[in-house]
Amino acid sequence: MNGEQLATAVVEAVARAAVGAAGGVVGDRVVDLVRGRLRSVDRGEEAVAEVERTPDDPDARALLRGKLAAVLAQDPAFAAYLTSVLAPPRPAGPPVNTGSVVIDRGGRARGTFVLGDQTVTRIRKGDPTALAAVVAVVFVLVLAVYGLARIVLGGDDASSGADGRRVAVLKDAATVKAIAPDLHSMPTGWTAESAPAVASGEEACSALEVSLCGGILSTAQSSFRNAFDQSAFFLVVACESPGAAQRFYEKLTRAPSTGRPLSVPALGDQSSALQVSDGKGLAYVQVGTVVVAVEERGSNSDFQVATLEALAKMLAERAQEAQNGHAPAARAQLSG
């Protein structure tokens, strides 16, 4: 599916969701993803709202399709994620087993073992090699069923996104704390104002608005300053699911602000940045089940977009490393 085809399919999904047609959770998910991604695009949210109001209007559809096509061409990761939401891989049907195997008291087997429409082996009476083959096949099937059960039941609270990135719920507060940058993560010349600290449960919401606390497991934060009196504050929010993380991200980015949107490279599942004043910038990124935020300040009017971008990229990478099961090790790389 190319970009134009995907944009058309997404517009159709938004229109069907608007009239309550078949689509259910998938349709709602697509609408939320598109609205969140187009928030930083001129007339992006308006285009979504127009299709929701008049889903059969060709002009409204064309406007949204155009906005989407432009974004999808620039953001292949978002395109891949949308594709996976619209058309998730279909699980293979269970194998059909026929035939029969009889094992007598002496451990000898006879009969035919069939998997699907393929005869695996015809077992002759007392053939130990054939019996071993049957045992091996059964063992593989048991492992396959066990693996499928873990995926369906969420045995390790993890899955893989369309681009291969691992999405995992971070229940361990120490892991969340490790995402917050320490002094070794920062460029040369920065000093720590507050070391990484973590909070869980109700305490995790103490630094946040009460209305933003739904679905949050734990938070971590740290802050730094350099010799030029620039400062950086980092916030990490671990959520109970990717959906909870998306909702928290949207609440953060919908908060009233007089800031000016910044054009920065796309990060994680969705990201945005604002220049609040000449001396302050904010960046937000959703990475799977984690939302991260960076605030960068200058002493007067020396706020640097490149610095904010580098710090946000580092924090997003650390959040992904944690969900991949690795100790966060990404460092900020500043040019010049």
Side-chain angles (χ1 to χ4, degrees):
M1 186 182 297
N2 60 34
E4 289 291 339
Q5 293 171 326
L6 178 57
T8 299
V10 170
V11 171
E12 179 64 26
V14 173
R16 289 176 64 82
V19 297
V25 175
V26 171
D28 294 340
R29 173 70 169 155
V30 169
V31 173
D32 289 341
L33 285 171
V34 171
R35 183 182 291 112
R37 185 62 182 85
L38 295 186
R39 184 170 297 115
S40 59
V41 176
D42 181 43
R43 296 188 65 196
E45 283 190 287
E46 178 185 337
V48 178
E50 282 298 318
V51 172
E52 289 183 306
R53 279 195 294 268
T54 56
D56 295 323
D57 184 352
D59 291 335
R61 287 183 173 228
L63 175 62
L64 179 56
R65 186 164 50 249
K67 298 294 182 182
L68 274 170
V71 168
L72 294 173
Q74 299 174 358
D75 193 346
F78 180 65
Y81 188 53
L82 264 182
T83 301
S84 71
V85 172
L86 282 171
R90 294 184 177 180
V96 178
N97 299 329
T98 61
S100 63
V101 178
V102 178
I103 302 176
D104 63 23
R105 293 182 180 179
R108 295 170 297 183
R110 63 182 183 276
T112 304
F113 185 81
V114 181
L115 179 62
D117 59 356
Q118 300 296 316
T119 300
V120 176
T121 183
R122 178 171 293 280
I123 304 172
R124 296 189 302 274
K125 183 177 180 180
D127 186 345
T129 302
L131 178 59
V134 172
V135 172
V137 171
V138 172
F139 181 68
V140 170
L141 289 175
V142 170
L143 287 180
V145 172
Y146 176 71
L148 178 62
R150 287 182 65 81
I151 292 173
V152 174
L153 299 177
D156 60 357
D157 294 313
S159 62
S160 294
D163 55 0
R165 293 185 297 110
R166 193 166 183 263
V167 178
V169 178
L170 303 181
K171 297 180 179 179
D172 180 19
T175 301
V176 178
K177 179 180 179 181
I179 297 174
D182 57 14
L183 190 57
H184 299 292
S185 313
M186 297 296 290
T188 302
W190 289 74
T191 58
E193 283 199 312
S194 65
V198 67
S200 302
E202 293 183 3
E203 185 184 354
C205 296
S206 61
L208 306 172
E209 294 181 21
V210 176
S211 62
L212 299 181
C213 289
I216 293 176
L217 298 177
S218 58
T219 62
Q221 54 189 350
S222 59
S223 60
F224 302 85
R225 183 173 294 278
N226 66 12
F228 303 100
D229 208 25
Q230 289 180 307
S231 63
F233 171 77
F234 300 93
L235 174 66
V236 180
V237 181
C239 301
E240 63 187 11
S241 68
Q246 181 193 356
R247 290 189 291 274
F248 180 75
Y249 171 88
E250 291 177 350
K251 287 179 180 178
L252 278 181
T253 54
R254 285 176 182 170
S257 174
T258 57
R260 177 174 61 87
L262 294 172
S263 176
V264 296
L267 298 170
D269 295 305
Q270 52 184 336
S271 58
S272 58
L274 294 172
Q275 182 170 348
V276 179
S277 65
D278 288 342
K280 178 181 175 181
L282 298 170
Y284 306 101
V285 187
Q286 179 205 345
V287 185
T289 63
V290 177
V291 176
V292 298
V294 180
E295 176 186 287
E296 198 254 317
R297 290 176 177 264
S299 57
N300 296 305
S301 59
D302 54 355
F303 158 69
Q304 299 292 325
V305 175
T307 300
L308 178 67
E309 178 184 320
L311 297 179
K313 181 174 184 293
M314 170 188 66
L315 196 55
E317 289 177 353
R318 292 174 71 87
Q320 186 59 65
E321 288 171 333
Q323 291 178 78
N324 288 344
H326 305 308
R331 301 182 61 183
Q333 302 294 330
L334 297 180
S335 58

